[in-house]
């Protein structure tokens, strides 16, 4: 059993789910499989413990050796240990569900749960509107011809009611974080840790650098904001997040925010779904619907959040004496190093951004193109936006009005805006 065979099982389940002959296909897979097939079938079809993301299929006997890229070394939270025979043991109490161990496992002993199969009947009968919300990193991931408008058509072909760019709600959070900075950073030694985007960064602060928790900006991630926003506008709907990150599967299950998103798919899984049902996004017609500003679109790469918040702060408070002095951490080790420096008082920044993947979300483990190209395409897409900041984005202003916010400076204190607030 190899990783490619595991993906092949997932594609066969998708194809049979749309055809309506999944029980027969499962029996065929079992007959052709080995002793691990039932476990792969279970997790490929969305089974297993509901609040877990990462599962061990088989013992690996330390096949990776002791290099720095094995699963134990990749885990920042001491969730991976080995028994006396060298086999991997996942300590669930420590596991943050970040998926780094899955990313580096060369023996394919560790897998992340697929969450698409239970959605197929819902998408086929269309009794409930199901929205696909796509991470800002999506641009260019499915080929140079797969424009945002064509991707929207592709998701509708799968049965989704529509596709929404999470970048629109990244705009909302950009405005919120700029206002938070304006309110709370008033002295030279004040600072904020942005809580947007990266669940690995947030988990590291909460689990390892707990003394810094009071400095986290009280914002949900753009994924959560988008899910809650859609459900507010379309009561009874379901929301599926699509992005490059395994860790988002764990974030979506956290008790205080699990109301926002019903399932998470990675770019790699969506690529496999398209292949299974014969959808080629680049060959489809355009369904154009642009709502996000440059600020929200550049969230997908390292320093994007900082730039977005800085530009927005300069827009709403151009005469402010104390400007943003931003510093970014790019990748796991830099995140750890930056937070340690903050604890030791060895940093002069007042806005700190951490990305668990090198390059930002464009460098996520399930991205389909190289991080450098991803960043380039994200920046180009940002440059094409009709507005530069959320303050200039008429769609953001319309959403705020639907929440009862007539003046942007009321955003932080508006009761309905509580959907964008998270208590750490």
């Amino acid at each position: 059993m190899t990783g490619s065979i595991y993906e092949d099982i997932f594609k066969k389940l998708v194809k049979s789910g749309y055809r309506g002959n999944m029980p027969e296909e499962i029996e065929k897979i079992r007959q052709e499989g080995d002793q691990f097939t039932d476990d792969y079938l279970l997790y490929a079809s969305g089974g297993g413990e509901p609040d877990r993301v990462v599962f061990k299929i088989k013992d690996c006997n330390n096949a990776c050796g002791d290099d720095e890229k094995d699963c134990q070394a990749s885990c920042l939270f001491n969730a991976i240990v080995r028994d006396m025979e060298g086999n991997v043991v996942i300590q669930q109490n420590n596991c943050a569900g970040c998926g780094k161990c899955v990313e580096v496992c060369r023996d394919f002993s560790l897998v992340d749960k697929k969450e698409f199969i239970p959605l197929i009947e819902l998408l086929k009968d269309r009794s409930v509107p199901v929205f696909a919300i796509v991470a800002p990193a999506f641009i260019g991931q499915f080929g140079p011809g797969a424009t945002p408008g064509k991707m929207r058509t592709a998701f509708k072909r799968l049965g989704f009611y529509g596709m929404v760019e999470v970048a629109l709600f990244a705009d909302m959070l950009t405005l919120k974080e700029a206002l938070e900075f304006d309110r709370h950073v008033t002295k030279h030694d004040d600072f904020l840790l942005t809580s947007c985007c990266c669940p690995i960064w947030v988990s590291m602060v909460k689990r390892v650098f707990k003394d810094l928790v009071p400095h986290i900006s009280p914002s949900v991630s753009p994924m959560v904001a988008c899910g809650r926003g859609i459900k507010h506008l379309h009561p009874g709907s379901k929301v599926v997040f699509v992005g490059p990150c395994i860790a988002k599967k764990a974030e979506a299950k956290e008790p205080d925010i699990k109301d926002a998103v019903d399932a998470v798919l990675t770019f790699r899984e969506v690529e496999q779904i398209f292949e299974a049902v014969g959808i080629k996004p680049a060959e489809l017609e355009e369904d154009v619907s642009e709502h996000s500003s440059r600020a929200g679109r550049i969230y997908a790469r390292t320093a994007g959040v900082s730039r977005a918040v800085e530009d927005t702060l300069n827009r709403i408070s151009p005469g402010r004496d104390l400007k943003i002095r931003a510093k970014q951490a790019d990748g796991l080790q830099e995140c750890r190093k930056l937070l340690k420096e903050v604890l030791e008082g060895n940093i002069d920044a007042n806005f700190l951004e951490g990305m668990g993947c090198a390059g930002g979300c464009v460098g996520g483990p399930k991205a389909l193109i190289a991080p450098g190209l991803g960043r380039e395409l994200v920046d180009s897409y940002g440059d094409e936006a009709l507005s530069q900041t959320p303050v200039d984005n008429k769609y953001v202003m319309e959403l705020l009005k639907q929440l009862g916010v007539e003046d942007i400076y009321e955003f932080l204190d508006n009761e309905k805006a509580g959907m964008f607030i998270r208590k750490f």
Side-chain angles (χ1 to χ4, degrees):
M1 181 71 68
T2 69
S4 61
I5 292 178
Y6 177 48
E7 293 177 350
D8 188 48
I9 286 175
F10 175 61
K11 289 167 66 174
K12 287 179 179 178
L13 291 177
V14 171
K15 189 172 184 178
S16 64
Y18 276 96
R19 284 183 171 178
N21 66 333
M22 190 180 294
E24 294 85 352
E25 186 64 39
I26 288 175
E27 184 57 33
K28 182 179 177 182
I29 292 170
R30 282 181 172 144
Q31 290 177 2
E32 297 173 350
D34 57 24
Q35 70 266 37
F36 306 114
T37 299
D38 279 346
D39 282 339
Y40 280 108
L41 277 167
L42 175 66
Y43 304 128
S45 60
E49 296 175 43
D51 294 330
R52 285 180 56 189
V53 172
V54 176
F55 297 86
K56 187 181 86 165
I57 297 292
K58 57 182 178 178
D59 288 335
C60 68
N61 294 313
N62 205 20
C64 299
D66 295 320
D67 65 289
E68 295 180 357
K69 293 184 179 180
D70 72 5
C71 59
Q72 190 172 11
S74 74
C75 183
L76 290 170
F77 307 107
N78 299 316
I80 301 289
V81 297
R82 295 185 183 274
D83 63 19
M84 296 296 290
E85 286 74 42
N87 293 312
V88 165
V89 176
I90 303 174
Q91 298 187 127
Q92 290 302 328
N93 289 340
N94 293 340
C95 182
C98 71
K100 285 295 177 182
C101 57
V102 175
E103 181 183 351
V104 302
C105 181
R106 295 189 293 252
D107 195 49
F108 305 108
S109 300
L110 302 172
V111 298
D112 58 306
K113 183 194 298 185
K114 314 292 186 185
E115 300 184 345
F116 184 70
I117 302 303
L119 295 171
I120 292 177
E121 289 304 317
L122 204 59
L123 293 171
K124 286 170 62 179
D125 66 31
R126 299 175 186 264
S127 59
V128 174
V130 184
F131 288 85
I133 62 173
V134 296
F138 86 105
I139 193 71
Q141 291 289 330
F142 297 87
T147 63
K150 292 181 178 183
M151 288 300 298
R152 184 169 287 104
T153 301
F155 280 110
K156 287 183 176 180
R157 290 279 180 93
L158 288 175
F160 286 95
Y161 186 82
M163 183 194 90
V164 177
E165 293 185 36
V166 172
L168 172 60
F169 286 85
D171 271 353
M172 301 280 284
L173 293 171
T174 297
L175 176 58
K176 181 179 179 298
E177 297 224 331
L179 291 168
E180 292 280 1
F181 187 95
D182 197 35
R183 175 179 290 185
H184 297 295
V185 179
T186 60
K187 303 187 298 296
H188 183 81
D189 57 351
D190 291 335
F191 64 92
L192 281 181
L193 303 177
T194 177
S195 63
C196 285
C197 290
C198 184
I200 299 176
W201 166 255
V202 173
S203 291
M204 193 182 297
V205 177
K206 290 169 60 179
R207 291 167 178 260
V208 182
F209 297 90
K210 298 177 183 178
D211 289 345
L212 295 176
V213 167
H215 296 280
I216 297 180
S217 175
S219 300
V220 297
S221 69
M223 175 187 79
V224 173
C226 188
R228 285 179 171 172
I230 287 174
K231 290 183 177 183
H232 175 77
L233 298 171
H234 300 273
S237 62
K238 300 290 185 182
V239 175
V240 179
F241 176 77
V242 179
C245 182
I246 296 173
K248 286 293 185 182
K249 295 184 180 184
E251 180 188 358
K253 294 173 174 56
E254 293 184 23
D256 61 319
I257 51 177
K258 66 181 181 180
D259 61 299
V261 172
D262 300 285
V264 172
L265 305 177
T266 67
F267 290 155
R268 176 62 181 148
E269 289 165 4
V270 171
E271 180 183 56
Q272 292 162 5
I273 292 165
F274 287 157
E275 290 173 356
V277 299
I279 291 176
K280 298 178 180 180
E283 299 178 3
L284 301 178
E285 64 275 13
E286 291 277 358
D287 185 351
V288 179
S289 181
E290 296 186 14
H291 296 125
S292 53
S293 79
R294 179 179 183 274
R297 293 180 180 185
I298 63 173
Y299 264 53
R301 48 86 164 174
T302 297
V305 179
S306 304
R307 177 65 184 272
V309 175
E310 181 178 7
D311 288 349
T312 303
L313 182 65
N314 290 338
R315 178 72 173 78
I316 64 177
S317 187
R320 198 177 198 274
D321 291 332
L322 190 56
K323 303 292 186 181
I324 284 183
R325 304 186 310 278
K327 187 175 178 66
Q328 299 84 27
D330 193 21
L332 291 173
Q333 298 308 318
E334 284 197 17
C335 286
R336 184 191 291 271
K337 179 181 177 183
L338 177 60
L339 292 172
K340 186 179 180 194
E341 288 175 350
V342 175
L343 275 180
E344 294 171 348
N346 295 329
I347 198 163
D348 190 38
N350 57 19
F351 189 83
L352 306 173
E353 169 196 331
M355 290 286 196
C357 295
C361 298
V362 294
K366 299 301 180 179
L368 302 176
I369 59 178
L373 176 59
R375 180 187 178 107
E376 186 179 312
L377 293 173
V378 162
D379 282 341
S380 295
Y381 189 47
D383 291 339
E384 295 170 8
L386 298 178
S387 52
Q388 294 298 299
T389 74
V391 181
D392 310 302
N393 187 341
K394 64 179 182 179
Y395 300 105
V396 169
M397 296 301 110
E398 288 174 7
L399 281 172
L400 287 175
K401 286 181 179 179
Q402 290 186 48
L403 294 173
V405 181
E406 296 293 334
D407 186 311
I408 60 172
Y409 293 97
E410 300 172 2
F411 189 17
L412 296 185
D413 302 313
N414 183 274
E415 183 178 345
K416 288 185 179 178
M419 71 174 67
F420 302 124
I421 296 173
R422 187 175 190 188
K423 295 180 180 178
F424 291 98

